[in-house]
Amino acid sequence: MIDRAFFQRDPLTCAQELIGCELVWGSCAGRIVETEAYAAIGDEAAHTFVRPSARAFVAEQQPGTAYVYFNYGMYWLFNVLVKGGAADGFVLFRALQPTRGIPLMRRRRFPGAASAKPRPVETLCSGPGKMTIAMGIDGRHHGVDLCRNPKRAFHISDQPPLTCISDVRVGISKAAHLPWRFLAVESAFVSKAPPAGR
């Protein structure tokens, strides 16, 4: 299990180094293939730029705490708080490569589709909202300490490391030029592939 010291660094470093690690959530797990970094100060796309509650969360919570919020009234999005390094902020998890609990992920993502042809595994967690549905993460998990229980935590993968590249963040209108999205090269599980030639 990854310990708290890992998250006592800046969000850019953590977002990059989490690529290839495994998120374990109960009976389900997936290898992290896409993240985004958000800075607590000066980042117009971060919740802390406009939400006092987000700034209070950064001040009051330990690094390695889950920050979960409902986005546009549609999907829960899952982040981890990082603080204590050169800068504080969050890492948003955008996509996983499922490694365990795939039948349960399918039932959560596609309820009532038992008799239909199974959807490709690449589609289960290929986006931040898809990922939380498949993993069973929602608002109940806001504030959960991700450095305490190995069944709700990050782990170093025993698989070969993944090569990581950066690209601009997606789905935002402010500070959209910053190359703070990190993804595994040529992964079929990411939410949005970088432009050709990256």
Side-chain angles (χ1 to χ4, degrees):
M1 184 173 74
I2 294 176
D3 63 17
R4 201 172 312 283
F6 181 94
F7 303 102
Q8 292 174 315
R9 299 179 297 165
D10 66 276
L12 286 170
T13 299
C14 284
Q16 292 177 75
E17 295 193 5
L18 282 163
I19 297 295
C21 295
E22 189 174 52
L23 172 62
V24 173
W25 205 264
S27 60
C28 296
R31 201 167 187 201
I32 300 162
V33 294
E34 185 180 355
T35 61
E36 285 181 347
Y38 289 85
I41 297 176
D43 182 355
E44 292 184 84
H47 278 189
T48 48
F49 199 80
V50 295
R51 296 188 186 183
S53 60
R55 294 193 289 273
F57 187 92
V58 173
E60 297 167 2
Q61 299 296 328
Q62 299 183 87
T65 300
Y67 181 76
V68 183
Y69 64 91
F70 206 44
N71 193 49
Y72 297 120
M74 296 176 63
Y75 303 110
W76 294 103
L77 301 189
F78 175 67
N79 305 251
V80 63
L81 172 64
V82 296
K83 60 186 284 191
D88 297 343
F90 298 96
V91 175
L92 167 69
F93 297 90
R94 289 194 55 86
L96 300 176
Q97 177 180 344
T99 56
R100 190 164 69 247
I102 292 173
L104 177 55
M105 290 186 188
R106 289 190 194 278
R107 290 195 296 273
R108 287 171 172 160
R109 283 272 286 116
F110 310 112
S115 60
K117 181 180 179 181
R119 309 287 179 91
V121 68
E122 290 85 357
T123 67
L124 289 177
C125 299
S126 58
K130 296 177 184 179
M131 188 199 86
T132 54
I133 293 170
M135 296 292 279
I137 298 171
D138 58 29
R140 297 170 297 170
H141 303 117
H142 180 66
V144 167
D145 186 348
L146 302 172
C147 301
R148 178 173 296 177
N149 179 356
K151 293 185 178 180
R152 281 188 181 164
F154 302 96
H155 296 257
I156 299 297
S157 174
D158 58 4
Q159 299 298 308
L162 299 175
T163 301
C164 173
I165 60 172
S166 65
D167 195 16
V168 295
R169 297 180 294 189
V170 296
I172 56 175
S173 58
K174 296 180 179 179
H177 65 287
L178 296 173
W180 288 5
R181 181 168 68 111
F182 302 95
L183 55 162
V185 173
E186 298 181 357
S187 172
F189 296 86
V190 300
S191 67
K192 182 179 180 180
R198 288 299 305 272

